[in-house]
Amino acid sequence: MVKTSTSTTAGTANGTTNGNGFPATLDSASKRPTFYKANPHLSGKIAIEEHVNTDIFNPSMTNPFTEGQGELPYYQEIFGNDVKFRLGNFEERIKDMDASGTAIMAISLTAPGIEGIFDPVQAAETARKVNDQFHKIYRTGPHAHRFLTWACVPMQDPEAAAKEAERCVKELGCVGVFINGYSNVGNPANLEVQYLDEPQCEPFWAKVAELDVPVYLHPQIVATGQTRIFRGYEFLAGSPWGFARETAEHALRLMLSGLFDRYPNLRLVLGHCGEGLPTAIDRTVLRIRHFKKGGHGVHQRELAYYFAKNFWITMAGVQKASTLDSTIREVGIDRVMYSADYPYEDMIEAAQWFDGL
């Protein structure tokens, strides 16, 4: 990651503060609290995991709605309102990019997104509409040079997902595919989910390998049938804890399944400094060596081999130097990329922390 010349920005809106005693986010009508100081920022940053909304459907919850599968109810009102405002406000996004020294942003549909739609036909139709809309908004017009787009695909129907991935890459110029964890399948009554290592997903992976584009595996809230440990602390099933657990386990399933033996050049991206895997995977490797052959999947190599060869990491949502350092030590600096996790994290606050390293 290369840091270039500096650009100057004001850190707060007129130096005002909100009721929480922290400076208000830049020009924020909601006065959402932030934690940065008014310092110059290094320019030229490329942010890889940054989220957007759509007016085609509500991507912030399952469709139909199921209790416990969305995080917005747990947010402070001032924060939730600000997130919703910034998810869909194009001009505010440009303003925050300028203020944080972010030159280019790769945008993706917020979670659970397409994966939260139970009906596979509706998921396919909606994914196509969203991808077309994102192309029109972010890849045309005067700011097109500042945006890249991740494709969303209907994994409820892996063959349809393969076709949509191909269309998005070849016709819309998407940089890859962004998947919000497991897909809801069946109906809200049974709450069945599908993981990406399952056999029915093979047509999708074959197409991704052919297209030679990365897949970003982003978290979802822990599936409803797996949340007993969070009873009484349901908020932990989301971004404070469950996001990392669910995504790390999903990545382990992919490694154990032999996916990277069948498609050795696949590239997967994990956010949040690897969802804990950089520090935990060695323990998994040490224990598996004592297990019976054939009892831990069909993978042909140690899991650490796949993690070092097939995974890239972003620092989205992380602001701790030791966490970033341990990630770099495990996978190498060439495989760690900048991200802010906007607007769930403050782009200017994240930039200030990073620029000060």
Side-chain angles (χ1 to χ4, degrees):
M1 293 176 289
V2 178
K3 301 177 182 180
T4 58
S5 59
T6 59
S7 62
T8 306
T9 180
T12 62
N14 300 321
T16 59
T17 60
N18 51 42
N20 293 319
F22 295 108
T25 299
L26 186 70
D27 296 334
S28 170
S30 70
K31 304 305 179 200
R32 165 183 168 177
T34 191
F35 304 90
Y36 65 86
K37 299 176 182 178
N39 285 339
H41 291 293
L42 299 173
S43 63
K45 291 188 285 291
I46 300 174
I48 305 298
E49 185 200 315
E50 317 305 328
H51 308 286
V52 296
N53 207 341
T54 177
D55 59 5
I56 293 171
F57 78 118
N58 185 352
S60 297
M61 60 180 63
T62 56
N63 189 352
F65 172 75
T66 52
E67 193 70 35
Q69 289 303 106
E71 194 169 60
L72 285 175
Y74 299 108
Y75 290 162
Q76 296 177 25
E77 183 178 1
I78 192 172
F79 177 81
N81 288 341
D82 190 78
V83 166
K84 287 186 284 187
F85 169 70
R86 292 177 191 275
L87 274 171
N89 191 301
F90 183 84
E91 295 303 325
E92 199 72 16
R93 187 175 296 264
I94 291 292
K95 188 186 302 182
D96 287 344
M97 290 172 69
D98 290 342
S100 62
T102 303
I104 298 174
M105 176 183 286
I107 60 100
S108 56
L109 183 64
T110 193
I114 300 298
E115 291 74 19
I117 301 175
F118 285 87
D119 180 72
V121 174
Q122 182 184 357
E125 293 175 349
T126 306
R128 186 180 184 92
K129 291 177 181 177
V130 170
N131 288 322
D132 287 343
Q133 182 185 66
F134 285 0
H135 179 75
K136 181 178 180 180
I137 294 174
Y138 297 100
R139 297 294 294 144
T140 63
H143 297 291
H145 63 291
R146 302 194 65 181
F147 290 99
L148 303 171
T149 53
W150 290 98
C152 55
V153 297
M155 286 307 302
Q156 298 85 337
D157 180 349
E159 291 190 1
K163 292 178 182 178
E164 182 62 9
E166 183 170 40
R167 185 184 78 90
C168 289
V169 171
K170 292 184 176 180
E171 298 180 19
L172 304 183
C174 291
V175 295
V177 178
F178 195 96
I179 299 179
N180 290 303
Y182 59 83
S183 295
N184 286 288
V185 295
N187 59 69
N190 61 32
L191 295 175
E192 288 292 323
V193 299
Q194 171 186 279
Y195 290 97
L196 292 167
D197 63 293
E198 296 183 30
Q200 60 268 32
C201 296
E202 193 71 9
F204 168 75
W205 289 117
K207 180 57 66 176
V208 168
E210 176 190 319
L211 294 170
D212 192 24
V213 294
V215 171
Y216 201 120
L217 180 58
H218 183 269
Q220 250 207 80
I221 288 179
V222 176
T224 301
Q226 305 170 24
T227 56
R228 175 62 182 87
I229 188 66
F230 301 116
R231 190 176 299 172
Y233 308 93
E234 284 78 7
F235 70 94
L236 283 176
S239 60
W241 184 258
F243 268 21
R245 193 200 87 177
E246 193 273 334
T247 310
E249 291 165 359
H250 202 162
L252 288 173
R253 289 178 64 109
L254 292 174
M255 289 184 252
L256 292 167
S257 73
L259 176 67
F260 301 108
D261 300 309
R262 299 193 300 276
Y263 305 107
N265 294 322
L266 281 179
R267 290 172 285 160
L268 260 72
V269 184
L270 298 176
H272 317 115
C273 278
E275 312 292 2
L277 280 174
T279 55
I281 195 166
D282 185 60
R283 169 67 174 168
T284 306
V285 170
L286 287 175
R287 296 309 304 154
I288 282 179
R289 63 183 180 166
H290 299 296
F291 285 31
K292 294 178 180 178
K293 188 173 183 179
H296 46 81
V298 297
H299 61 104
Q300 298 175 12
R301 297 177 180 268
E302 283 191 348
L303 303 191
Y305 172 85
Y306 306 123
F307 194 61
K309 180 179 182 294
N310 298 100
F311 284 80
W312 277 255
I313 309 295
T314 78
M315 47 162 283
V318 171
Q319 295 184 35
K320 188 173 179 63
S322 60
T323 303
L324 179 59
D325 183 62
S326 65
T327 304
I328 292 172
R329 287 173 180 270
E330 182 65 32
V331 302
I333 195 167
D334 290 341
R335 289 175 179 260
V336 180
M337 299 174 284
Y338 176 79
S339 291
D341 208 351
Y342 180 88
Y344 297 97
E345 300 295 344
D346 188 314
M347 196 186 310
I348 303 170
E349 179 189 359
Q352 184 191 44
W353 174 80
F354 177 77
D355 295 349
L357 291 175

